Amino acid sequence: MPDHVLTCERLVKRFGGITATDDVTLRLERGARHALIGPNGAGKTTLVNLLTGVLEPTSGRIALEGEDISKLAPHKRVHRGLVRTFQINQLFPSMTPLQTLALVIAQQRRQGARFWQPLGRDEEVVMRASQLLEQFRLAEVKDVPTEHLAYGKRRLLEIAIALACEPRVLLLDEPVAGVPAGEREDILQTVAALPADVSVLLIEHDMDLVFSFARRMTVLVNGAVLTEGTPDEIAADPRVREVYLGHGEEAHA
C-alpha cells in the first residue's frame, strides 16, 4: 500500500445551502508531485483552506502522517510540516528577502525574540537564509525591500519562505499566477528543483507547468473529484477535455 503523508477522507464543506467541497477524498504519497486542477469555482481554494485549517470541515477527516489534524489550528499544522505558500506582498513590505527569511528561520527554530539582535549574530540562521537565497535565485536582490521586487521575485520569495518552514508537505498555490512571461522561467526551474523529500501538492491553472511537474493529478469540478490519474490519463480523458482542458487550453498529449 502506498505511503500517504497527507490524506483527506470524504471531506465536506457547506456554506448554508451551498456545498463547496463535496465528499472529497485525496491521498498524497510521500515524495509526491501531485497537481490539483479544475475550472474556476471548482472548489480548489476551499479544499486548500480546509487542508491548512483556515476553514473547518462540515464533515470528513484530514490526516498528516496518519494523525488526525481536522481540528488543529493552522499554525500548529505548519509546525507539524504542512505549509502553504502565501502572498508575501501583504507581509513585511519594507523588509528585504534576507531579513524576511532570517525571521522565518529564527521563528521556525523558536528563536523569534532573538531575531531582533543585529542580523548576522546567529550564523546558522544567516547561513540557512543565504542557502535559500541562492536556491531561489534571490541572492542578487537580498538587500532590496520586498515592496520593490519584481513580481516574479516576490513569488520566488513566497516559495522560499514556505521552504524555510521545513515542510514535509508543501501546498504550492498558483506559483506563476500573475507573473509576466519574462519572469516565469526562474519559477518553473525552481519548482522543478524542489527537494525530493518534500511532498508537493500543486494548485495551478497553467497547464504547461502542471504537465511538466506532476506525476499524478486530481481534477476537481463543482466541489467534487471528477477523476484522478497520471498526466497522460488526465490528458486523454474526454470528460476532462470537456470541463477543463477544452476551456481555452489545449490538452497535452
Side-chain angles (χ1 to χ4, degrees):
M1 185 175 178
D3 186 7
H4 298 124
V5 62
L6 176 67
T7 63
C8 64
E9 303 283 346
R10 307 199 66 172
L11 210 58
V12 174
K13 180 61 181 179
R14 295 190 184 94
F15 298 98
I18 298 173
T19 301
T21 304
D22 188 4
D23 208 33
V24 170
T25 293
L26 179 69
R27 298 181 178 93
L28 198 69
E29 296 182 12
R30 195 174 304 279
R33 295 294 182 263
H34 196 128
L36 178 67
I37 67 171
N40 289 330
K44 301 185 297 297
T45 298
T46 299
L47 179 58
V48 172
N49 284 339
L50 290 167
L51 293 174
T52 54
V54 175
L55 294 173
E56 187 173 332
T58 304
S59 62
R61 179 179 183 270
I62 303 166
L64 180 65
E65 300 276 13
E67 183 178 352
D68 193 329
I69 60 168
S70 305
K71 296 186 181 300
L72 206 61
H75 71 278
K76 292 186 177 180
R77 299 186 196 203
V78 171
H79 284 307
R80 295 194 186 193
L82 177 59
V83 180
R84 174 189 188 177
T85 53
F86 53 93
Q87 295 289 338
I88 55 118
N89 57 348
Q90 298 174 1
L91 296 171
F92 317 131
S94 64
M95 291 176 63
T96 68
L98 175 57
Q99 291 171 330
T100 302
L101 287 170
L103 173 59
V104 173
I105 294 164
Q107 288 180 331
Q108 184 67 19
R109 300 182 181 192
R110 307 294 202 275
Q111 299 173 351
R114 295 175 53 195
F115 167 78
W116 299 110
Q117 296 174 351
L119 191 61
R121 184 74 60 85
D122 191 319
E123 291 184 5
E124 288 187 5
V125 169
V126 174
M127 184 179 300
R128 177 58 178 151
S130 298
Q131 289 172 347
L132 288 167
L133 289 166
E134 289 289 343
Q135 179 179 349
F136 287 90
R137 298 169 169 81
L138 293 166
E140 73 278 11
V141 295
K142 66 183 177 69
D143 295 319
V144 177
T146 296
E147 61 189 341
H148 297 314
L149 294 179
Y151 193 65
K153 293 295 187 185
R154 294 187 198 182
R155 299 314 297 259
L156 285 169
L157 182 53
E158 288 178 33
I159 305 172
I161 289 169
L163 212 61
C165 294
E166 301 178 9
R168 287 181 283 177
V169 177
L170 174 61
L171 305 183
L172 199 54
D173 197 353
E174 299 196 24
V176 297
V179 177
E183 300 176 34
R184 292 160 71 94
E185 189 56 36
D186 277 354
I187 296 177
L188 296 178
Q189 292 180 12
T190 300
V191 169
L194 286 169
D197 61 342
V198 177
S199 307
V200 182
L201 179 62
L202 170 70
I203 303 91
E204 183 55 67
H205 285 289
D206 186 292
M207 290 295 101
D208 288 332
L209 174 54
V210 166
F211 278 90
S212 67
F213 175 82
R215 297 195 290 262
R216 193 154 190 86
M217 299 168 64
T218 297
V219 183
L220 208 62
V221 177
N222 296 326
V225 174
L226 176 71
T227 187
E228 183 179 309
T230 66
D232 286 344
E233 290 169 341
I234 296 301
D237 191 319
R239 296 171 301 166
V240 177
R241 290 174 181 268
E242 180 181 353
V243 302
Y244 188 68
L245 296 180
H247 289 187
E249 300 281 358
E250 289 297 322
H252 287 57

